């Protein structure tokens, strides 16, 4: 089993009487991409700032590569690269000049190191261009290259997909996977883009109102989606068809216009159609549909918090 890079235990942050993060615990292992999902104000950014030493811890423990934060803050921070909010770059300097400036803040970072990480994020050919000519996606990638200069074990990214066009999102996903799988860098990433997180992350943690609602591996998340598949059947008498399905086949069903939605997998389709034909119900179309990841996400939050949630 891969080494634990980040270990958070009972982490709490309060501002006066307001609890921003409440008793949070999770671990991230080497080479793991860990997704942080939650509505605005859920506590994601506050947690990331505590991990990066940008705000104090009220209670609990953060250990980064076995170094306690803040007790061994300097050693812990050597193992972190972070992009919290927008990357701070000098627009009238080139990409290379920006990275050379940040490299000068560390020891023993060579030009070859700068070029290596620029290549990883796909900016090697644009290093001589001024940053003011970069797109938002390129600026995000330059910020990640900067965060990687000292070869950290953990990369903390707050909403790096926000504002990117579809091609920029795909490029970001691709090189983050390279960082994790080829370089063994652990990544903690927050986002509202649930579908992209599904394609990117090994593990997803859902946080709401400062509390951890649930942690799911990618396999468990995909199983949750499969479990929520439904058969959509368009018929001439939907109310009658719904009663037949519920009473005769003992399946859950609901009516939506001229369509019956049946909570079952595709293996039941043949049995359903035979039963409907037996009762002379005309079938105009059958489709296997799934609840969206967004629907499942909101259901998990509502089920665990009795419907109390912030607005996404």
């Amino acid at each position: 089993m891969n080494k634990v890079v980040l270990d958070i235990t009972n982490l709490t942050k309060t501002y006066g009487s307001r609890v921003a993060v409440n008793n949070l615990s999770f671990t991230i292992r080497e080479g793991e991409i860990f997704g942080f999902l939650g509505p605005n104000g859920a506590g994601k950014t506050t947690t990331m700032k505590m991990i990066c030493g940008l705000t104090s811890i009220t209670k609990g423990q953060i250990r980064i590569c076995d170094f306690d934060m803040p007790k061994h803050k300097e050693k812990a921070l050597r193992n972190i690269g972070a992009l919290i909010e927008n990357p701070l770059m000098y627009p009238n300097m080139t990409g290379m000049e920006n990275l050379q400036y940040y490299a000068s803040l560390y020891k023993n970072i060579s030009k070859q190191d700068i070029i290596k990480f620029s290549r990883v994020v796909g900016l090697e050919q644009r290093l001589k261009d001024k940053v003011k000519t970069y797109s938002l996606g390129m600026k995000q990638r330059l910020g990640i290259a900067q965060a990687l200069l000292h070869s950290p074990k953990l990369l903390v990214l707050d909403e790096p997909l926000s504002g990117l066009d579809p091609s920029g999102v795909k490029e970001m996903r691709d090189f983050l996977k390279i960082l994790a799988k080829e370089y063994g860098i652990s990544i903690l990433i927050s986002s509202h883009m649930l579908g992209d997180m599904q394609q990117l992350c090994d593990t997803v943690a859902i946080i709401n109102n400062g509390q951890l609602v649930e942690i799911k591996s990618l396999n468990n998340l995909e199983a949750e989606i499969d479990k929520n598949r439904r058969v959509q059947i368009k018929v001439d008498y939907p109310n009658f068809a719904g009663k037949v399905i519920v009473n005769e086949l003992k399946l859950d069903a609901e009516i939506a216009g001229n369509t019956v939605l049946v909570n079952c997998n595709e293996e039941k389709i043949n049995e359903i159609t035979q039963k409907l034909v037996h009762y002379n119900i005309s079938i105009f179309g059958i489709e296997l549909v799934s609840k969206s990841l967004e629907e499942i996400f909101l259901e998990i939050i509502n089920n665990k918090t009795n419907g109390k949630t912030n607005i996404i």
Side-chain angles (χ1 to χ4, degrees), residues 88-90 97-106 146 149:
L88 180 61
M89 297 290 168
Y90 296 96
E97 288 169 341
N98 270 278
L99 293 179
Q100 286 177 325
Y101 166 73
Y102 283 108
S104 69
L105 303 178
Y106 300 96
Q146 178 261 312
L149 288 175

Side-chain angles (χ1 to χ4, degrees), residues 9-183:
T9 307
N10 302 326
L11 185 64
T12 299
K13 176 66 178 179
T14 60
Y15 295 97
S17 61
R18 184 174 74 86
V19 181
V21 176
N22 189 1
N23 207 36
L24 206 62
S25 297
F26 62 88
T27 60
I28 301 178
R29 295 186 176 275
E30 186 178 52
E32 180 180 9
I33 302 179
F34 190 99
F36 225 16
L37 291 175
N40 287 329
K44 304 186 302 296
T45 299
T46 301
T47 301
M48 290 180 158
K49 285 183 176 180
M50 284 190 283
I51 292 169
C52 296
L54 299 176
T55 191
S56 62
I57 300 168
T58 303
K59 285 193 298 185
Q61 185 181 60
I62 298 174
R63 291 184 65 82
I64 301 158
C65 296
D66 292 328
F67 295 112
D68 184 78
M69 175 75 79
K71 186 177 180 180
H72 303 116
K73 183 175 181 178
E74 185 176 342
K75 291 180 179 178
L77 290 179
R78 287 177 191 167
N79 292 287
I80 296 180
L83 187 60
I84 307 291
E85 299 169 346
N86 294 324
L88 180 61
M89 297 290 168
Y90 296 96
N92 289 316
M93 292 167 58
T94 67
M96 173 60 84
E97 288 169 341
N98 270 278
L99 293 179
Q100 286 177 325
Y101 166 73
Y102 283 108
S104 69
L105 303 178
Y106 300 96
K107 295 179 180 179
N108 303 319
I109 296 177
S110 67
K111 186 174 181 179
Q112 286 70 32
D113 293 325
I114 294 174
I115 293 172
K116 177 181 74 172
F117 287 114
S118 300
R119 186 182 300 121
V120 171
V121 302
L123 284 180
E124 186 182 12
Q125 303 304 317
R126 295 294 304 271
L127 287 180
K128 294 181 180 179
D129 297 334
K130 290 188 176 182
V131 170
K132 65 182 179 183
T133 68
Y134 285 13
S135 66
L136 174 61
M138 291 171 65
K139 290 175 182 176
Q140 292 281 67
R141 285 184 276 155
L142 185 65
I144 292 175
Q146 178 261 312
L148 292 169
L149 288 175
H150 60 297
S151 300
K153 300 294 185 183
L154 174 67
L155 189 60
V156 179
L157 304 175
D158 190 18
E159 300 278 0
L161 306 177
S162 181
L164 301 184
D165 60 28
S167 63
V169 169
K170 183 181 183 304
E171 288 175 357
M172 181 75 75
R173 285 202 316 260
D174 289 345
F175 78 72
L176 289 178
K177 287 180 181 178
I178 290 171
L179 289 177
K181 306 313 173 191
E182 296 186 15
Y183 291 85

